[in-house]
Amino acid sequence: MITYATYFAFACFGAALMMNLWRILTSDGVGVRVLALDTMVINTIALLILYGISISSEIFFEAAMIIAMLGFVSTVAYARFMLRGNIIE
């Protein structure tokens, strides 16, 4: 059973996702875009967790873990590229 709090949480995380997308599209610096993309990954994970709770399915928690690992690796790769200019030495 989905409550009003769940709908409110979906709306808040959806709005945050759209604000991050706006920040990615309109920012000038690469660092700001990487930070917004990392925050977008976190909001996507939160939406997956909320959806898994709302339909009582455990598979979305595993998908959230995989996306969290990929988000961490991509953030480290972006930071390394910004600092050194290459990812693989």
Side-chain angles (χ1 to χ4, degrees), residues 3-47:
T3 61
Y4 290 115
T6 309
Y7 287 131
F8 182 71
F10 273 118
C12 287
F13 283 114
L17 199 64
M18 290 299 121
M19 286 186 250
N20 285 326
L21 183 64
W22 176 255
R23 190 65 179 164
I24 288 172
L25 295 175
T26 61
S27 67
D28 292 331
V30 178
V32 176
R33 288 183 181 170
V34 171
L35 183 63
L37 187 63
D38 190 40
T39 309
M40 198 173 193
V41 169
I42 293 170
N43 288 329
T44 305
I45 292 167
L47 283 172

